[in-house]
Amino acid sequence: MEFTHLGRTGLKVSRLCLGTMNFGPLTSEADSHAIMDAGHDKGINFFDTANGYGGEGHRGRTEEIVGRWFAQGGGRRERTVLATKVYGDMGNDWPNSGKLSALSIRRNLDASLKRLQTDYVDLYQFHHVDRDTPWDEIWQALEVAVAQGKVLYVGSSNFAGWHISQAQAAAEKRNFLGLVSEQSKYSLLTRAIELEVIPAAEHYGLGIIPWSPLAGGLLGGVLRKENEGKRRQQADAIERHRSQLEQFEKLAAELGHEPGDIALAWILAQRAVTAPIIGPRTMEQLDAAERALSVKLDEEALAKLDEIFPGHKTAPEDYAW
């Protein structure tokens, strides 16, 4: 396993981040525990979850599954850089159960720690920007959490570039470290963050943690699976991108690798990327993700991928002079 620093911090994390969103809704607890153990065996030390994961009506269940895995001991917690999130309404139909008010952060952090059966979170992430809460209030709440030892680092998710700038400016005034990472939707098919989010992350020293790096499975060889008679999902998206996907899967075959391996290898080669989130439902999917680490794309291959899936220049040069 390869390791790198998370943004500008001294914290070392694996180049693959194990996402847990499927644990509970699609993957049984026993299989989830086995996948996490296998992740450790492969050297993956970076795990991502969220307080809202678990399925409709079962928010928090995924954190509980992770917590019961930690409770088995054997160094599971100590070997894990644990990331979770706060923002979403936890479904109790009562005010202040979500978003980023100081009250919400305090209550939701304590609830996550209880479910996770741990006394601290390595990376506490804002799952979305809260336009109703001032940054001074948000940072004051996190300063308290850091002082209490409940949170070590803070990250964002689904922020625009200017949200990162706004957050960092407010943190700097308070002599606070601020954000160290941004978790964004990023893949060969979804490259909008190249306009402003990645430049902002580079400027402020944030590590990019891409989610959905296989574009919901579209980059995992979906056309070949379709031809093999396997159940077809995302039919509309496949038809919209069929020409690109045909070229992509042909290129992957020419390069001698699985399409999903190429897609992950590409994202690992992008600037500012710390670790893409892989969200395996099965052990086989975990094994497949690991293969991408051994795939090295040369300049010619990267150029061909850019031809198939055009990206963006930094704004404003992308659309102006």
Side-chain angles (χ1 to χ4, degrees), residues 114-125:
K114 183 177 181 180
R115 287 190 292 266
L116 290 162
Q117 301 194 45
T118 186
D119 57 1
Y120 73 99
V121 171
D122 298 275
L123 178 64
Y124 200 47
Q125 302 164 108

Side-chain angles (χ1 to χ4, degrees), residues 24 28 44 62 111 116 123 131 158 217 224 230 269 287 302 311-312:
S28 71
I44 299 174
T62 301
L116 290 162
L123 178 64
R131 296 179 174 88
N158 305 309
R224 185 187 64 196
K230 296 182 179 180
D287 293 337
L302 290 169
H312 295 278

Side-chain angles (χ1 to χ4, degrees), residues 51-62 64 88-92 115:
N51 63 341
Y53 291 170
E56 196 64 33
H58 299 279
R59 293 181 179 94
R61 177 169 56 169
T62 301
E64 291 173 350
D89 192 306
M90 291 302 287
N92 61 14
R115 287 190 292 266

Side-chain angles (χ1 to χ4, degrees), residues 39-317:
H40 270 184
D41 290 342
K42 295 176 183 297
I44 299 174
N45 75 334
F46 194 16
F47 289 14
D48 176 77
T49 190
N51 63 341
Y53 291 170
E56 196 64 33
H58 299 279
R59 293 181 179 94
R61 177 169 56 169
T62 301
E63 285 187 332
E64 291 173 350
I65 290 172
V66 176
R68 287 190 285 270
W69 180 72
F70 284 148
Q72 295 176 33
R76 287 174 171 82
R77 176 64 185 98
E78 292 78 8
R79 294 164 60 196
T80 302
V81 175
L82 173 64
T84 192
K85 308 182 193 76
V86 60
Y87 177 86
D89 192 306
M90 291 302 287
N92 61 14
D93 297 323
W94 199 251
N96 302 308
S97 68
K99 294 197 172 181
L100 303 179
S101 70
L103 179 60
S104 173
I105 288 171
R106 175 174 175 167
R107 287 178 174 173
N108 280 299
L109 174 58
D110 285 346
S112 284
L113 293 175
K114 183 177 181 180
R115 287 190 292 266
L116 290 162
Q117 301 194 45
T118 186
D119 57 1
Y120 73 99
V121 171
D122 298 275
L123 178 64
Y124 200 47
Q125 302 164 108
F126 307 130
H127 213 160
H128 197 279
V129 65
D130 184 352
R131 296 179 174 88
D132 298 325
T133 305
W135 275 107
D136 277 342
E137 177 181 350
I138 294 170
W139 285 136
Q140 183 179 41
L142 265 299
E143 288 164 9
V144 170
V146 169
Q148 291 173 332
K150 295 179 179 180
V151 170
L152 300 185
Y153 301 94
V154 184
S156 58
S157 181
N158 305 309
F159 274 32
W162 76 274
H163 296 141
I164 293 172
S165 179
Q166 189 181 43
Q168 295 305 81
E172 185 177 1
K173 286 193 301 182
R174 304 178 67 90
N175 295 314
F176 191 62
L177 183 62
L179 302 173
V180 303
S181 62
E182 159 58 22
Q183 189 176 136
S184 285
K185 188 176 185 180
Y186 190 32
S187 70
L188 278 164
L189 269 171
T190 308
R191 299 180 61 171
I193 69 167
E194 294 171 351
L195 284 163
E196 296 189 2
V197 175
I198 288 180
E202 288 184 307
H203 177 77
Y204 290 105
L206 277 63
I208 295 290
I209 306 170
W211 61 269
S212 195
L214 298 186
L218 290 177
L219 299 171
V222 68
L223 296 184
R224 185 187 64 196
K225 294 173 183 176
E226 178 184 74
N227 292 334
E228 292 172 353
K230 296 182 179 180
R231 188 164 62 95
R232 176 170 160 178
Q233 297 176 333
Q234 296 183 301
D236 291 343
I238 291 172
E239 292 310 315
R240 279 198 310 274
H241 299 289
R242 180 171 290 276
S243 176
Q244 289 174 294
L245 294 173
E246 288 173 346
Q247 296 175 67
F248 172 61
E249 293 190 18
K250 180 181 178 183
L251 175 61
E254 292 172 355
L255 294 173
H257 296 289
E258 292 295 317
D261 299 351
I262 296 294
L264 281 176
W266 175 84
I267 212 160
L268 284 163
Q270 302 310 298
R271 69 187 206 269
V273 168
T274 294
I277 294 177
I278 56 170
R281 296 189 302 276
T282 65
M283 198 71 74
E284 290 75 19
Q285 291 177 342
L286 176 63
D287 293 337
E290 184 187 24
R291 290 197 308 263
L293 294 170
S294 62
V295 177
K296 304 302 178 186
L297 302 174
D298 60 23
E299 292 300 320
E300 182 179 0
L302 290 169
K304 287 181 179 178
L305 288 168
D306 281 336
E307 289 177 10
I308 299 171
F309 303 103
H312 295 278
K313 297 178 182 178
T314 298
E317 286 83 0

